[in-house]
C-alpha cells in the first residue's frame, strides 16, 4: 500500500509562504522525520482523516490532551451548552469556580489555582510567583526537560529543540539564560553539589516529574525524593510541571503516584479537554502572592474562557467517574510488548520500548539499562525513528513526528483496534527488514 500526499504537499507549499516553516508549532513541520506534514481534515475517536481522505490511527492525540479520543461526546455536550450562553465575558463567572473547586478538592497540595490559556503561560507564571515569593532569582531545571517556550527555560529543553543544530533558541539574552541552572536528570550527586553551591539563590527547582518531551525519561523515586528534600532544606520552592503527566498517569499526576507534594504545580494539555487551558497552583501562601491578592502580576484577556472551562470540567468529571488509569496502563503494557516483539523480529537495528502509564517511547538502540537522562539517548535516535515513522505512516499509523516525542493511548484504543494496528505495524516493519 502506498499513500498519496499530493494535496498535503500543495497545502504545505502555500503554508510555507505565509507562516514560518508552514506550521504554528515546530515539531508539526516534520523536520524530525523528513517529508511533508500530513494535513488533517477531521478526526473522530482514534482516527485522523487527511485531506486526501486517507485515515490513520492516532497515537499523538493532539500531543496528549485527548485521553478519551477525538470528539468525546461528554465534552462536546458541555461545550455546546456553554456556547449557548456566550463564549467570553471577561468578568467573574461560575465556570472557572466549579473547575477550580473540583481540582482543589481532588489534588493534594493544590490549595489555590489560577487558570491561563496554555502550559507555557502556566509555567511562566509559576516561575514568576516563585521568584516573587522567595525574593530569589535562580531557577534550577533539568537537562532535556521541556517547560514550554518560556525564555528562561529554553535551555537544554528537548524535542522540538533536539532537532535543531543548537539546543538554545536565538532571541534569549545571556542574562536571562544565566539565571537558569541546569542539572542532569537521574544524578543525585550533581543535584547535591548544585544546591551546595547555589542553594541560597535558587527560587525554585522545576522538573517534569515524568520527563516526556525528550523521550520518556522515567525518573527513579529516590531522585525525585532527593530533589524534594534539597528544596526544603535550602528554602527553594519545588515546581512539578505536570502539563503532560497531570490527569494522564493518575488524576493527580506524578505528585499522586510519588506521594511528593510540590509547592507549585503546572497543568495544561488534558486539563482543557482539547481546548486551550493551562493552570498553575499549589500552596495558599505562595498563590496569595498573585495579583490582585498580592504583588506578582499575572493576567489574561481570555483566561478562564467559559467554553474552555466547560470542556475542562467535563473532562475532569469524566476522569473522576471513569478512573481509566489501570486499564490504560494494562493495555499500553500489552501493546508495547507486542510492538517491541515486532521491532525485534524485523528491524535491522535493535530497539527498546519504554513506557509509563499510557505513554510510550521507542529507544532506537539497545541500551544497557532504562534511559533516564538526556545523555543516554542513542545517537542514532533521529534517523532510525524517521524510518519507522514513515513505514508506519504508510500503514495508517500516526506517531508523533519526532523520535524525541512520546506516543499516547486513549481509552478508545481498545484491543480490537490495537490488534489491527499491530497487524498493520507488522506489514510496515517488514518493509524495513
Ligand atoms: C506541553 C508542555 C508544556 C507547554 O505547554 P503548551 O500548552 O504547549 O504551552 C510545558 N510543560 C510540559 C511538561 C509540557 O509537556
Amino acid at each position: 500500500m502506498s499513500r498519496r500526499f499530493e494535496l498535503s504537499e500543495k497545502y504545505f507549499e502555500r503554508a510555507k509562504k505565509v507562516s514560518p516553516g508552514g506550521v504554528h508549532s515546530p515539531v508539526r513541520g516534520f523536520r524530525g522525520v523528513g517529508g511533508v506534514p500530513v494535513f488533517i481534515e477531521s478526526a473522530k475517536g482514534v482516527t485522523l482523516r487527511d485531506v486526501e481522505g486517507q485515515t490513520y490511527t492516532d497515537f499523538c492525540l493532539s500531543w496528549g490532551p485527548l485521553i478519551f479520543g477525538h470528539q468525546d461526546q461528554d465534552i462536546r455536550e458541555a461545550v455546546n451548552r456553554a456556547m449557548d450562553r456566550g463564549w467570553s465575558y471577561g468578568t467573574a463567572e461560575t465556570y472557572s469556580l466549579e473547575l477550580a473547586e473540583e481540582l482543589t478538592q481532588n489534588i493534594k497540595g493544590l490549595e489555590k489555582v489560577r487558570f491561563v490559556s496554555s502550559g507555557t503561560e502556566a509555567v511562566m507564571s509559576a516561575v514568576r510567583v516563585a521568584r516573587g515569593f522567595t525574593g530569589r532569582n535562580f531557577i534550577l531545571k533539568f537537562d532535556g526537560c521541556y517547560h514550554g517556550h518560556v525564555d528562561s527555560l529554553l535551555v537544554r529543553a528537548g524535542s522540538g529543540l533536539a532537532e535543531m543544530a543548537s539546543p538554545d533558541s536565538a532571541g534569549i539574552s545571556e542574562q536571562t539564560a544565566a539565571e537558569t541552572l541546569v542539572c542532569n536528570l537521574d544524578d543525585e550527586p550533581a543535584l547535591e553539589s548544585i544546591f551546595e553551591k547555589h542553594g541560597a539563590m535558587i527560587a525554585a527547582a522545576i522538573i517534569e516529574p515524568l520527563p516526556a518531551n525528550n523521550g520518556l525519561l522515567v525518573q527513579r523515586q529516590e531522585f525525585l525524593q532527593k530533589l524534594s528534600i534539597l528544596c526544603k532544606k535550602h528554602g527553594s520552592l519545588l515546581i512539578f510541571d505536570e502539563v503532560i503527566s497531570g490527569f494522564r498517569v493518575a488524576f493527580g499526576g506524578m505528585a499522586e503516584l510519588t506521594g511528593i507534594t510540590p509547592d507549585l504545580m503546572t497543568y495544561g494539555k488534558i486539563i482543557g479537554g482539547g481546548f486551550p487551558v493551562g493552570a498553575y497552583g499549589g500552596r495558599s501562601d505562595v498563590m496569595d502572592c498573585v495579583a490582585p491578592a498580592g504583588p506578582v502580576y499575572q493576567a489574561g484577556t481570555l483566561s478562564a474562557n467559559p467554553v474552555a472551562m466547560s470542556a475542562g470540567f467535563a473532562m475532569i468529571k469524566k476522569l473522576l467517574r471513569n478512573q481509566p488509569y489501570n486499564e490504560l496502563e494494562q493495555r499500553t503494557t500489552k501493546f508495547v510488548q507486542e510492538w517491541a516483539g515486532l521491532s525485534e523480529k524485523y528491524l535491522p537495528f535493535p530497539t527498546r520500548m519504554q513506557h509509563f502509564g499510557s505513554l510510550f517511547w521507542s529507544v532506537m538502540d539497545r541500551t544497557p539499562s532504562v534511559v533516564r537522562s538526556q545523555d543516554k539517548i542513542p545517537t542514532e535516535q533521529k534517523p532510525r525513528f524517521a524510518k519507522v515513522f514513515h513505514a508506519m505512516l504508510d500503514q495508517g499509523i500516526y506517531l508523533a513526528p519526532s523520535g524525541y516525542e512520546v506516543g499516547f493511548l486513549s481509552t478508545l484504543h481498545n484491543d480490537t483496534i490495537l490488534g489491527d494496528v499491530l497487524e498493520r505495524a507488522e506489514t510496515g516493519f517488514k518493509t524495513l527488514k
Side-chain angles (χ1 to χ4, degrees):
M1 183 165 69
S2 209
R3 289 180 175 238
R4 305 174 310 276
F5 299 106
E6 285 89 2
L7 276 178
S8 285
E9 275 161 25
K10 279 195 186 127
Y11 283 121
F12 193 46
E13 284 312 310
R14 272 170 65 186
K16 280 192 287 191
K17 290 196 182 116
V18 289
S19 297
V23 287
H24 297 276
S25 196
V27 189
R28 294 182 198 173
F30 272 43
R31 293 277 178 97
V33 291
V36 168
V38 183
F39 277 64
I40 298 303
E41 173 232 50
S42 64
K44 186 145 182 60
V46 299
T47 306
L48 296 171
R49 180 177 297 273
D50 73 11
V51 287
E52 326 239 3
Q54 303 165 125
T55 58
Y56 307 83
T57 309
D58 188 11
F59 289 93
C60 180
L61 297 169
S62 191
W63 306 94
L66 306 175
I67 195 167
F68 295 119
H70 294 273
Q71 294 197 40
D72 175 72
Q73 196 56 28
D74 293 310
I75 293 176
R76 174 196 292 285
E77 280 165 19
V79 165
N80 284 345
R81 275 196 305 275
M83 291 282 286
D84 286 342
R85 297 198 253 156
W87 42 85
S88 193
Y89 314 139
T91 65
E93 33 60 52
T94 54
Y95 294 98
S96 57
L97 168 63
E98 286 185 342
L99 183 54
E101 282 178 346
E102 204 63 45
L103 293 171
T104 51
Q105 275 158 25
N106 287 288
I107 299 176
K108 190 174 166 232
L110 190 76
E111 294 168 355
K112 286 195 174 164
V113 64
R114 169 64 65 84
F115 294 115
V116 292
S117 301
S118 72
T120 296
E121 231 188 308
V123 170
M124 182 183 75
S125 311
V127 164
R128 187 180 304 141
V129 175
R131 286 185 166 135
F133 181 78
T134 58
R136 301 173 178 183
N137 287 336
F138 278 68
I139 301 295
L140 171 63
K141 83 176 285 283
F142 293 86
D143 196 2
C145 281
Y146 178 66
H147 301 292
H149 59 95
V150 180
D151 274 9
S152 60
L153 300 177
L154 271 183
V155 179
R156 304 216 228 144
S159 86
L161 301 149
E163 320 281 32
M164 296 186 179
S166 156
D168 300 322
S169 164
I172 292 171
S173 75
E174 274 165 34
Q175 293 95 302
T176 300
E179 287 181 335
T180 305
L181 301 166
V182 182
C183 184
N184 255 347
L185 286 164
D186 192 42
D187 187 346
E188 282 98 324
L191 200 53
E192 279 183 339
S193 102
I194 285 187
F195 269 99
E196 240 160 64
K197 272 197 216 129
H198 308 285
M201 298 195 313
I202 298 177
I206 183 165
I207 190 167
E208 291 179 74
L210 178 68
N213 282 282
N214 186 39
L216 184 62
L217 307 175
V218 182
Q219 296 302 290
R220 289 172 296 110
Q221 170 84 15
E222 298 76 33
F223 181 72
L224 296 172
Q225 204 79 50
K226 184 79 185 181
L227 175 62
S228 165
I229 289 166
L230 285 169
C231 282
K232 281 211 179 72
K233 184 173 160 200
H234 292 269
S236 312
L237 299 185
L238 175 61
I239 307 174
F240 268 10
D241 181 356
E242 302 246 33
V243 170
I244 207 163
S245 50
F247 315 104
R248 171 53 73 179
V249 296
F251 188 84
M254 290 300 285
E256 179 182 322
L257 294 184
T258 59
I260 298 170
T261 307
D263 301 291
L264 290 171
M265 303 152 228
T266 55
Y267 300 103
K269 300 200 167 98
I270 288 180
I271 200 175
F275 286 78
V277 180
Y280 67 102
R283 271 167 56 183
S284 259
D285 57 336
V286 178
M287 288 304 288
D288 280 337
C289 286
V290 179
V296 175
Y297 195 72
Q298 185 271 310
T301 302
L302 295 177
S303 287
N305 169 271
V307 177
M309 290 290 107
S310 300
F313 190 70
M315 173 64 99
I316 292 313
K317 283 299 228 187
K318 187 161 182 164
L319 285 170
L320 288 168
R321 208 164 56 234
N322 293 14
Q323 291 293 339
Y325 301 106
N326 281 341
E327 198 180 341
L328 273 171
E329 143 115 81
Q330 280 163 16
R331 279 212 205 118
T332 307
T333 305
K334 186 162 165 259
F335 174 66
V336 158
Q337 271 166 4
E338 293 182 27
W339 185 279
L342 294 173
S343 311
E344 178 124 338
K345 189 162 167 198
Y346 296 109
L347 288 181
F349 45 82
T351 63
R352 144 194 214 107
M353 293 298 287
Q354 296 192 177
H355 73 285
F356 190 96
S358 50
L359 301 91
F360 64 91
W361 179 48
S362 316
V363 184
M364 291 292 158
D365 207 344
R366 185 170 291 117
T367 55
S369 54
V370 178
V371 179
R372 300 187 194 278
S373 60
Q374 159 84 27
D375 54 324
K376 304 271 172 22
I377 297 176
T379 47
E380 292 301 297
Q381 184 69 17
K382 184 175 165 173
R384 286 179 176 175
F385 178 80
K387 291 198 181 100
V388 172
F389 173 85
H390 282 291
M392 294 308 146
L393 191 69
D394 210 44
Q395 296 300 321
I397 299 169
Y398 190 81
L399 303 169
S402 162
Y404 304 93
E405 295 285 350
V406 296
F408 300 94
L409 257 64
S410 76
T411 54
L412 299 183
H413 287 80
N414 62 28
D415 289 340
T416 316
I417 287 168
L418 292 177
D420 170 56
V421 164
L422 287 163
E423 273 179 31
R424 285 184 276 139
E426 179 158 19
T427 312
F429 279 127
K430 276 182 187 160
T431 66
L432 299 174
K433 203 171 173 175

